[in-house]
């Protein structure tokens, strides 16, 4: 079961001639409860599995407020802002053992945004944001979840992670053609939370088994660029191409005095085409391709998908028909490989 409630308020106040102040805030509450009840098959019937059955309930309550100040200098503008608030985390686990999580974190997010536009439709922007991410109740619990031949456990010592984001962009609109945009981005994370896979002796199983738990993995960075091209020669045809290439690297202290590092390039391409025929039928298609991608102790294989569809209106738009085909070539296969030094595995999933 889950319950999600939220309330937000925003207010914009222009003042003087080139100034604008925006204020806002909000509260939210997310609650989730789970009941895992499992039975084991024995030679003489069924038996309740007390080790793997448990009840879980977690909740996150937060209140945040923000303020931004905008100043215009002709075609140039500067916008600074701050977002701050408090997050309260609670969680309860009841099973073969009990555990409670009760934490609160103060978070604040400063930002600066610069933009400039010209009369002939050139647009430039540069922005910086520092974000704070806090662990979830499930990542903080010391409750051990056992599966058939492995287990997972949270980490009460997790710390919030911080990410510095820098983005710059340029885009230009051309009449009778469309638009072209180029974006550069860079992210640097400190104390990023990742899942560590290892092997250790377990009293329950009486042998060495794989286990997983979240840790502050250390530092990671991601930087790259993307280009977006929109071609719209008429009102009845639109094609959009997006291509992104980025470099990712991370450094992890796997065990005491043991560091693990990985890095690599990843490319992503997306093509959307839309057209209208006989003023009634709309055809659309989407092509997606991603090269090999690395993550924390993981490598994902390249993936390609193609979606197509059409829609039509009849009787002065009183009747509409839609026809969509997802993954028309049946190529959406997600393959991954775990690169943990002491726990190697791989898998494939068709979606």
């Amino acid at each position: 079961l889950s319950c999600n409630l939220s309330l937000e308020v925003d207010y914009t106040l222009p003042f003087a001639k080139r100034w604008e102040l925006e204020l806002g805030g909000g509260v939210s509450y997310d609650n989730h409860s789970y009941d895992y009840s499992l039975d084991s098959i024995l030679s003489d019937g069924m038996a309740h599995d007390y080790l793997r059955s448990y009840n879980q309930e977690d909740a996150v309550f937060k209140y945040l407020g923000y303020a931004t100040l905008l100043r215009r200098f002709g075609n140039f503008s500067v916008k600074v802002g701050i977002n701050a608030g408090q997050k309260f985390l609670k969680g309860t686990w009841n099973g073969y053992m009990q555990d409670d999580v009760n934490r609160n974190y103060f978070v604040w997010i400063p930002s600066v945004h610069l933009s400039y536009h010209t009369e002939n439709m050139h647009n430039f922007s540069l922005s910086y944001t520092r974000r704070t991410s806090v662990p979830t109740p499930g990542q903080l619990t010391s409750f051990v979840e056992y599966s058939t031949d492995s287990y997972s456990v949270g980490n009460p010592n997790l710390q919030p992670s911080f990410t510095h984001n820098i983005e710059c962009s340029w885009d230009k609109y051309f009449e009778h053609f469309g638009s072209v945009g180029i974006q550069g981005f860079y992210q640097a994370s400190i104390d990023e939370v990742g899942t560590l896979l290892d092997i250790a002796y377990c009293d329950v199983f009486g042998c060495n088994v794989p286990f997983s738990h979240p840790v502050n993995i250390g530092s990671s960075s991601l930087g790259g660029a993307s280009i977006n091209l929109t071609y719209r020669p008429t009102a009845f045809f639109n094609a959009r191409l997006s291509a992104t290439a980025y470099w990712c690297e991370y450094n992890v202290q796997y065990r005491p005095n043991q560091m693990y590092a990985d890095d690599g390039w990843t490319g992503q391409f997306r093509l959307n085409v839309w057209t209208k025929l006989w003023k009634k039928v709309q055809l659309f298609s989407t092509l997606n391709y991603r090269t090999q991608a690395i993550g924390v102790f993981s490598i994902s294989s390249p993936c390609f998908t193609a979606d197509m569809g059409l829609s039509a209106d009849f009787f002065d738009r009183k009747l509409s028909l839609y026809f969509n085909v997802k993954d028309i070539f049946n190529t959406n296969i997600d393959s991954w490989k775990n690169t943990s030094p002491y726990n190697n595995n791989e898998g494939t999933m068709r979606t």
Side-chain angles (χ1 to χ4, degrees):
L1 297 176
S2 62
C3 176
N4 302 292
L5 302 172
S6 64
L7 174 65
E8 296 182 358
V9 178
D10 299 286
Y11 179 71
T12 302
L13 175 64
F15 65 96
K17 185 177 181 180
R18 300 179 181 272
W19 294 84
E20 185 176 287
L21 176 65
E22 184 176 356
L23 302 173
V27 296
S28 66
Y29 175 77
D30 296 327
N31 178 271
H32 304 275
S33 60
Y34 309 90
D35 184 9
Y36 298 95
S37 181
L38 302 177
D39 294 326
S40 297
I41 300 177
L42 304 179
S43 58
D44 56 351
M46 304 289 293
H48 184 64
D49 193 337
Y50 291 97
L51 182 65
R52 297 175 177 84
S53 300
Y54 62 92
N55 297 318
Q56 172 188 345
E57 183 174 0
D58 57 72
V60 178
F61 173 77
K62 64 180 179 180
Y63 62 86
L64 299 171
Y66 77 90
T68 63
L69 183 63
L70 174 66
R71 175 67 164 95
R72 296 184 177 89
F73 303 88
N75 294 338
F76 180 75
S77 65
V78 180
K79 186 177 183 179
V80 295
I82 182 70
N83 187 323
Q86 199 83 8
K87 287 188 177 182
F88 300 87
L89 312 180
K90 290 187 177 182
T92 302
W93 284 259
N94 292 303
Y96 72 96
M97 65 173 289
Q98 293 184 341
D99 187 49
D100 295 315
V101 172
N102 193 343
R103 303 284 184 91
N104 69 86
Y105 299 91
F106 174 77
V107 297
W108 64 287
I109 304 173
S111 63
V112 179
H113 182 79
L114 310 176
S115 63
Y116 177 75
H117 67 273
T118 65
E119 301 298 334
N120 55 353
M121 300 183 184
H122 287 276
N123 298 287
F124 303 87
S125 68
L126 175 65
S127 63
Y128 165 80
T129 305
R130 177 185 179 273
R131 298 190 177 277
T132 303
S133 299
V134 303
T136 65
Q139 292 175 324
L140 293 168
T141 182
S142 58
F143 185 88
V144 182
E145 298 182 20
Y146 292 98
S147 62
T148 304
D149 55 0
S150 63
Y151 68 92
S152 62
V153 61
N155 184 356
N157 297 319
L158 283 179
Q159 300 297 319
S161 61
F162 305 95
T163 302
H164 300 276
N165 294 278
I166 300 176
E167 295 183 1
C168 60
S169 66
W170 164 83
D171 63 80
K172 163 68 174 173
Y173 175 78
F174 299 90
E175 293 186 9
H176 310 298
F177 177 83
S179 62
V180 177
I182 299 176
Q183 181 185 44
F185 53 89
Y186 177 75
Q187 297 179 1
S189 297
I190 303 172
D191 287 335
E192 182 180 357
V193 175
T195 300
L196 183 68
L197 303 175
D198 207 340
I199 294 179
Y201 182 83
C202 178
D203 293 332
V204 172
F205 296 102
C207 61
N208 291 327
V209 296
F211 75 94
S212 64
H213 73 121
V215 296
N216 292 108
I217 65 172
S219 63
S220 66
S221 61
L222 183 152
S226 64
I227 181 171
N228 297 287
L229 175 64
T230 301
Y231 179 58
R232 187 180 299 170
T234 68
F236 301 103
F237 181 84
N238 187 347
R240 180 178 176 86
L241 173 65
S242 176
T244 303
Y246 61 89
W247 173 266
C248 178
E249 63 179 357
Y250 64 88
N251 295 276
V252 182
Q253 181 174 329
Y254 194 86
R255 289 179 178 178
N257 300 321
Q258 293 187 26
M259 297 298 296
Y260 183 86
D262 201 0
D263 56 63
W265 283 99
T266 298
Q268 295 178 333
F269 306 90
R270 182 183 181 93
L271 176 64
N272 298 89
V273 178
W274 172 91
T275 186
K276 193 170 186 179
L277 305 175
W278 309 297
K279 299 182 180 180
K280 291 182 179 294
V281 179
Q282 300 183 58
L283 301 177
F284 46 88
S285 63
T286 302
L287 304 178
N288 291 282
Y289 177 73
R290 190 206 66 218
T291 65
Q292 176 178 285
I294 71 165
V296 179
F297 302 119
S298 67
I299 297 178
S300 299
S301 298
C303 181
F304 170 77
T305 61
D307 305 328
M308 299 185 69
L310 62 87
S311 65
D313 298 322
F314 302 94
F315 308 114
D316 295 328
R317 298 185 178 180
K318 295 179 180 179
L319 176 65
S320 297
L321 298 178
Y322 298 89
F323 179 75
N324 296 314
V325 179
K326 296 289 187 179
D327 191 20
I328 190 170
F329 301 114
N330 197 28
T331 56
N332 191 13
I333 302 176
D334 185 15
S335 299
W336 70 92
K337 180 181 180 181
N338 172 33
T339 58
S340 172
Y342 301 102
N343 184 11
N344 297 124
N345 60 70
E346 57 186 50
T348 300
M349 179 176 62
R350 187 182 296 274
T351 58

